């Protein structure tokens, strides 16, 4: 039995996550990022499903080229006149040469149209995956200022220090949300590998999954520091 990702369930999970972020941090920038993430996820779900369908306009063009080739073959044979039951060498040349030329042109035309559909789908997929890459970096930017070391050490803020109003529990939940969004990004990207078996697209999806995994690993390092702080009874109050 082939196992595949359910795109609708991924979208439902993304929607639930956005609602959780909005309820927990209604005034935080992460709430808007989560809403934008749902829009991108829905668009990518629709794009991935659309790429599974054949491009009938291009395929009808292929059939048209094939039909034109058959018609040309018919004209070639119609114009030939045989003076004897067995055609002579010169007559065979008259048949083979134009027939071979037509066959080559038809084959080249069909190959071009078929490759054109693949290139068009690849371009559409890469555009969507690029927007997802940008979103991954936006999510990472939002977790950068959530530094657990500030809660653990008595560090005096400078004039340019970011304002920190969250305690340990809030920061940990904030980082959890960022981690979940990054993980879901990899699942959304993987939808494209189910829709098309293009090597460039597969490599791009693998790169995005590796990127989201590496960023998630950084976040979980912060969460582990917060867990150790909780066991020591530190970091329960906001730090400016």
């Amino acid at each position: 039995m082939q196992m595949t990702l359910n795109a609708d369930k991924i979208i439902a999970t993304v929607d639930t996550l956005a609602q959780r972020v909005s309820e927990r941090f209604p005034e935080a920038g992460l709430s808007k990022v989560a809403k934008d993430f749902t829009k991108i996820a829905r668009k990518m779900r629709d794009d991935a499903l659309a790429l599974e369908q054949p491009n009938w306009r291009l395929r009808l063009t292929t059939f048209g080229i094939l039909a034109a080739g058959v018609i040309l073959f018919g004209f070639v044979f119609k114009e030939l006149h045989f003076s004897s039951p067995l055609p002579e060498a010169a007559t065979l040349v008259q048949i083979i040469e134009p027939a071979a030329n037509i066959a080559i042109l038809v084959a080249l035309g069909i190959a071009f149209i078929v490759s054109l559909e693949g290139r068009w789908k690849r371009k559409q997929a890469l555009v969507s995956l690029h927007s997802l890459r940008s979103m991954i970096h936006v999510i990472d930017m939002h977790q950068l200022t959530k530094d657990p070391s500030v809660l653990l050490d008595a560090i005096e803020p400078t004039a340019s220090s970011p304002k920190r109003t969250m305690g340990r529990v809030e920061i940990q939940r904030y980082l959890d949300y960022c981690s979940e969004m990054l993980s879901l990004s990899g699942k959304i990207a993987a939808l494209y590998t189910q829709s098309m078996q293009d090597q460039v697209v597969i490599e791009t999806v693998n790169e995005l999954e590796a990127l989201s995994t590496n960023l998630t690993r950084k976040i979980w390092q912060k969460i582990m520091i917060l867990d150790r702080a909780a066991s020591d009874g530190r970091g329960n109050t906001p730090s400016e």
Side-chain angles (χ1 to χ4, degrees), residues 55-68 106 109-110 112-114 116:
N55 189 319
W56 289 112
R57 188 173 298 177
L58 290 177
R59 297 198 178 189
L60 287 175
T61 302
T62 303
F63 294 143
I65 293 175
L66 184 59
V106 170
I110 292 175
F112 174 77
I113 296 298
V114 171
L116 185 63

Side-chain angles (χ1 to χ4, degrees), residues 16-35:
T16 302
L17 177 59
Q19 186 64 29
R20 290 164 55 204
V21 176
S22 178
E23 292 172 354
R24 180 74 64 179
F25 302 107
E27 303 299 327
L30 189 65
S31 178
K32 182 179 183 304
V33 171
K35 292 177 181 178

Side-chain angles (χ1 to χ4, degrees), residues 90-143:
T91 305
L92 287 175
V93 171
Q94 287 181 316
I95 299 173
I96 295 174
E97 184 177 0
N101 291 336
I102 293 172
I104 292 173
L105 290 175
V106 170
L108 290 175
I110 292 175
F112 174 77
I113 296 298
V114 171
S115 65
L116 185 63
E117 180 177 1
R119 292 198 303 272
W120 178 82
K121 288 187 175 183
R122 176 192 297 171
K123 181 179 179 181
Q124 296 296 111
L126 292 179
V127 169
S128 296
L129 292 171
H130 176 72
S131 65
L132 182 62
R133 179 185 287 108
S134 299
M135 175 57 66
I136 289 174
H137 285 293
V138 169
I139 296 170
D140 182 54
M141 286 294 297
H142 275 265
Q143 65 87 23

Side-chain angles (χ1 to χ4, degrees), residues 180-201:
E180 289 183 45
M181 276 192 277
L182 290 174
S183 179
L184 286 169
S185 296
K187 303 301 179 289
I188 294 169
L191 292 176
Y192 285 85
T193 61
Q194 295 182 174
S195 300
M196 53 190 302
Q197 296 300 313
D198 183 272
Q199 189 60 35
V200 176
V201 173

Side-chain angles (χ1 to χ4, degrees), residues 29-49:
L30 189 65
S31 178
K32 182 179 183 304
V33 171
K35 292 177 181 178
D36 292 339
F37 184 54
T38 61
K39 296 177 182 177
I40 291 178
R42 288 180 180 277
K43 183 179 183 304
M44 294 188 68
R45 185 269 312 271
D46 295 341
D47 290 346
L49 293 177

